Amino acid sequence: MRAGFYKTGTRIRVEEQASSIASVARMLKTASKSGRGGGGSPEFIISNSDNPDFLMVVECKAALSDHASTWVSAMLDGKDFPEDETTYSKRVQRYAVDGALHYANKMVKEFNVVAVAVSGETDETAKVETFLYSKGGSKAKRLQTKAGREISEVLPWDDYIKHATFDPAIQRLRNDELMSFARELHDFMRDHAKLTESEKPLLVSGTLLALRDNGFSAAFDKYEVGDLQDAWLEAIQRELAKANIPQAKKKLMAEPYRGIASHPELGKATKTYPRGPLSELITQLKTKVQPFISIYDDFDVVGQFYGEFLRYTGGDKKALGIVLTPRHVTELFAILANVSKNSTCLDICAGTGGFLISAMVQMLRGVSKVSEIDRVKAHGLIGVEQQPAMYALGASNMILRGDGKANLYQGSCFDPKIVADVKGHKADVGLLNPPFSQKDAVLHELVFVKQMLDCLVKKGTGIAIVPMSCAISPHPMRAAILKEHTLEAVMSMPDELFYPVGTVTCAMIFTAHIPHAVSARKSWFGFWKKDGYIKTKHRGRVDLYDTWSTIRDSWVEMYRNREVHPGVSVTQHVTADDEWCAEAYMETDYSKITQADFERTVRNYAVFRLLDSQNLDLAQPEESVDGASQ
């Protein structure tokens, strides 16, 4: 076989017409193409212990006329193609594609399956088609490259895995599995390591840093009980020493990890874990999380674990209010801001770095020149975070991404020295999720918005997600912002965007240092309530039907063209005294309103006015996460 499958020294296992993998052998026992319940024998079954959730089946035919039946094209077009057992049996026995999909369908309960069909007797005339079944799926699709090109040749194993992992269904599966593991890890650290809620994400980020050290990664399970914690901290320090950040910042980053390294329960041997809980935790993170990071370099793993830990905590009610800006929202903001390879992006409440990571992904999209990549990594991402533990999480997150850590500041975004340094970077894009529900007027959400805008260059774009009260309740900071900056747009976001926290939010877009009155243009208001995400009992809000990308693109096009649609968007001249939301100005299609809609709206408004009149904010969190503190 081509593409190096039989190359010595690899961990790839190529088996013909049988499998030594117990679960595969079990499934093949009833996989006969004849439909009589006997055993099945694919031409080749290929696996690799480095990618245990993937399996590859290959079917070959000598004649090009036996490559695929008409059923295949009908299936790919979503057409119903009823057939009896005899017709099915003849089809899958004759055709290469049909046979490959037959075997793949038998394996899909436990594996993501790449099905490869090859017809023809020479490389010059052979026809190759490649399909993908995501684990648990009911229908195959053509496997495409990340760029959307169909695969019509035999590739090396690693290339198949690389392309398959960027399939939306596979990404969703792996993300779900990762978050399920996060919940398991939360319980393990609570029960066996006795870690506090703030220590748990630090242990995760610290371990992922330590595993970047090749010596530690290869030998952590060889340390004596009691010595592993010191070795863990030393590995982190070695990784920090290699990072391109000032020495003072390295010390700030390392400090929160010292407390973890001295935790008495982590190195204590037990009957269940004779090498101690820390050794088990490192093993699990190396197996289940490190490979995920190496593949999905645009994913805020540390932030996602942080959010899961706090979401499932039972004791710290304040912590329950800390929520991540959802990943699809950080991505949306970077696109709305037109982030490019030449941008410099600022987040003055950086938290775990979610906005900066999304901005980085947009900056590097399509960039191939080393000089341009280096500019983004060294100068394109600027962040400020006050809380030391959160700063360590954000900085470690950027190190895991391989960039951006040089320009992270630990301290208040209102500190004059930090402000001066930040302004020196001349950021032209600001992305922000400020701390929510600060009862002190000095720390109102809009104070942070103005601070972000003040730190941008003239005509820079600033986008913030804030509670809807910022758009409809009077506040002197609204006038202060419009005196110096232009309100370009406000979008009303989905009501349960931050589920399980009940904050209703909106996104505000500004042009910095152009007074609102001077711009003399109408502001654009969008009613963006349906993002395709559905609330589920155990997984939170998820994009079950893969509709987000289509919705996102329509939203972006609508905003950029300032389109006006009844019930969806409107333009309006506004001042500091007006309401800044689509609901106040857009035309309503009354034919679509039901009695239940009317009653629900009146009820919600009455509750809002009651809470607002009493200066209560019961539905909002104590803090945001991308802006954990100023």
Side-chain angles (χ1 to χ4, degrees):
M1 183 173 283
R2 299 174 293 174
F5 283 100
Y6 285 108
K7 186 176 180 181
T8 58
T10 70
R11 303 182 70 177
I12 298 172
R13 176 165 47 187
V14 180
E15 300 177 292
E16 299 184 35
Q17 299 188 330
S19 178
S20 59
I21 302 173
S23 60
V24 176
R26 183 187 73 250
M27 289 183 283
L28 286 177
K29 286 182 178 180
T30 57
S32 171
K33 293 178 182 177
S34 69
R36 297 170 186 167
S41 305
E43 304 277 9
F44 298 99
I45 299 173
I46 306 172
S47 59
N48 187 333
S49 57
D50 288 338
N51 311 105
D53 57 337
F54 273 95
L55 198 69
M56 183 174 169
V57 295
V58 183
E59 281 287 279
C60 306
K61 296 294 178 181
L64 290 173
S65 59
D66 291 337
H67 183 70
S69 71
T70 55
W71 175 90
V72 175
S73 57
M75 179 272 295
L76 292 172
D77 290 339
K79 297 177 181 177
D80 189 21
F81 203 104
E83 57 186 350
D84 57 33
E85 187 175 299
T86 300
T87 305
Y88 174 86
S89 176
K90 289 180 179 180
R91 174 171 62 79
V92 299
Q93 290 182 75
R94 175 179 174 180
Y95 297 104
V97 172
D98 300 61
L101 294 178
H102 165 80
Y103 286 121
N105 189 44
K106 299 296 182 181
M107 313 293 178
V108 75
K109 287 184 179 180
E110 299 186 28
F111 296 92
N112 299 303
V113 187
V114 176
V116 180
V118 183
S119 302
E121 297 183 324
T122 66
D123 287 350
E124 290 74 21
T125 62
K127 183 173 183 178
V128 179
E129 286 191 274
T130 311
F131 299 85
L132 175 67
Y133 261 111
S134 58
K135 183 164 57 176
S138 59
K139 184 180 177 182
K141 64 180 74 173
R142 291 191 187 278
L143 178 59
Q144 298 180 329
T145 67
K146 190 178 180 182
R149 181 178 65 84
E150 292 184 3
I151 298 171
S152 57
E153 58 186 330
V154 176
L155 303 175
W157 170 271
D158 288 344
D159 287 353
Y160 282 119
I161 302 305
K162 178 179 67 176
H163 298 315
T165 51
F166 284 97
D167 178 82
I170 300 294
Q171 286 194 56
R172 186 170 63 249
L173 276 172
R174 287 195 153 183
N175 178 58
D176 289 348
E177 290 171 353
L178 189 71
M179 292 301 98
S180 177
F181 170 65
R183 294 190 285 272
E184 295 172 8
L185 194 64
H186 171 271
D187 293 343
F188 179 90
M189 288 191 286
R190 177 195 63 203
D191 298 338
H192 299 282
K194 311 301 181 186
L195 294 173
T196 66
E197 300 309 322
S198 61
E199 290 172 329
K200 291 170 186 174
L202 284 169
L203 178 58
V204 171
S205 66
T207 300
L208 294 174
L209 279 179
L211 287 170
R212 287 169 60 92
D213 183 271
N214 292 332
F216 179 82
S217 181
F220 73 87
D221 56 349
K222 305 295 191 301
Y223 286 96
E224 295 292 330
V225 175
D227 294 336
L228 180 57
Q229 287 162 272
D230 290 340
W232 177 83
L233 181 60
E234 290 168 3
I236 293 172
Q237 291 172 326
R238 285 193 295 272
E239 286 303 304
L240 293 179
K242 291 188 291 185
N244 180 28
I245 53 179
Q247 186 61 35
K249 293 184 180 180
K250 293 176 183 179
K251 291 181 178 179
L252 285 172
M253 275 195 64
E255 196 57 37
Y257 296 116
R258 295 184 190 279
I260 305 294
S262 62
H263 199 286
E265 299 292 335
L266 283 175
K268 185 183 295 184
T270 66
K271 184 177 180 180
T272 307
Y273 301 105
R275 303 195 64 82
L278 180 57
S279 181
E280 176 65 18
L281 285 164
I282 296 172
T283 300
Q284 292 294 319
L285 288 166
K286 181 178 180 179
T287 303
K288 298 184 178 182
V289 181
Q290 193 180 32
F292 189 96
I293 292 178
S294 66
I295 294 171
Y296 301 110
D297 59 2
D298 62 339
F299 192 80
D300 179 9
V301 170
V302 172
Q304 290 295 327
F305 267 70
Y306 181 80
E308 284 297 318
F309 292 161
L310 293 175
R311 183 178 166 201
Y312 288 92
T313 181
D316 188 348
K317 299 305 180 184
K318 181 178 180 181
L320 278 170
I322 303 178
V323 290
L324 278 171
T325 306
R327 181 189 179 198
H328 70 292
V329 173
T330 64
E331 172 203 46
L332 172 66
F333 280 22
I335 295 173
L336 289 172
N338 289 313
V339 170
S340 71
K341 64 184 180 181
N342 298 316
S343 299
T344 300
C345 184
L346 167 68
D347 184 353
I348 63 170
C349 299
T352 62
F355 275 125
L356 297 179
I357 290 174
S358 289
M360 173 202 68
V361 172
Q362 295 300 319
M363 289 178 184
L364 296 179
R365 196 174 296 281
V367 174
S368 57
K369 291 183 179 180
V370 174
S371 60
E372 293 175 337
I373 295 173
D374 289 345
R375 192 214 75 84
V376 170
K377 292 181 177 182
H379 306 292
L381 304 168
I382 318 298
V384 183
E385 174 53 45
Q386 182 169 19
Q387 293 186 11
M390 189 66 70
Y391 174 80
L393 289 175
S396 66
N397 210 5
M398 299 308 292
I399 291 175
L400 293 171
R401 302 274 69 77
D403 41 61
K405 59 273 181 185
N407 301 310
L408 292 177
Y409 295 87
Q410 199 270 305
S412 169
C413 64
F414 301 105
D415 180 279
K417 185 179 186 309
I418 290 178
V419 170
D421 287 346
V422 166
K423 288 183 176 180
H425 291 285
K426 300 186 182 302
D428 57 345
V429 172
L431 304 176
L432 176 67
N433 177 356
F436 289 0
S437 297
Q438 298 288 341
K439 302 306 180 185
D440 186 346
V442 175
L443 295 179
H444 189 275
E445 295 91 349
L446 291 175
V447 174
F448 288 88
V449 173
K450 184 176 185 302
Q451 184 70 1
M452 171 192 68
L453 295 170
D454 290 347
C455 290
L456 299 180
V457 297
K458 188 174 182 177
K459 296 185 179 180
T461 298
I463 308 181
I465 188 161
V466 294
M468 181 58 79
S469 59
C470 293
I472 60 179
S473 298
H475 194 281
M477 191 52 60
R478 285 155 54 108
I481 290 174
L482 295 191
K483 183 179 180 180
E484 300 177 33
H485 312 288
T486 297
L487 177 65
E488 296 288 351
V490 179
M491 287 75 88
S492 302
M493 302 303 286
D495 290 347
E496 295 183 322
L497 186 66
F498 285 97
Y499 176 82
V501 177
T503 309
V504 177
T505 58
C506 62
M508 296 182 174
I509 304 181
F510 297 88
T511 296
H513 302 294
I514 301 293
H516 187 74
V518 171
S519 70
R521 66 185 301 183
K522 293 181 178 181
S523 299
W524 187 87
F525 297 94
F527 191 68
W528 289 1
K529 288 293 183 177
K530 295 181 179 180
D531 59 359
Y533 280 68
I534 296 173
K535 183 175 65 177
T536 61
K537 185 174 181 180
H538 298 294
R539 296 162 57 195
R541 297 182 80 244
V542 294
D543 183 17
L544 280 178
Y545 304 109
D546 294 327
T547 57
W548 163 242
S549 60
T550 301
I551 293 171
R552 175 200 63 207
D553 293 345
S554 69
W555 282 0
V556 172
E557 182 178 8
M558 191 187 307
Y559 163 70
R560 288 179 176 169
N561 294 326
R562 300 177 70 83
E563 297 174 9
V564 174
H565 301 287
V568 179
S569 58
V570 66
T571 59
Q572 179 74 24
H573 283 295
V574 293
T575 69
D577 297 324
D578 297 315
E579 294 187 354
W580 296 355
C581 62
E583 294 89 326
Y585 307 109
M586 67 183 180
E587 297 178 19
T588 302
D589 186 349
Y590 291 99
S591 67
K592 296 182 180 180
I593 296 179
T594 66
Q595 181 67 24
D597 293 329
F598 175 76
E599 292 175 357
R600 182 174 59 254
T601 301
V602 171
R603 203 163 44 239
N604 291 343
Y605 182 75
V607 171
F608 168 77
R609 296 303 300 175
L610 174 64
L611 297 179
D612 189 53
S613 66
Q614 297 178 10
N615 195 27
L616 296 176
D617 206 358
L618 303 181
Q620 294 184 3
E622 295 290 336
E623 301 172 294
S624 73
V625 152
D626 284 321
S629 69
Q630 73 271 25

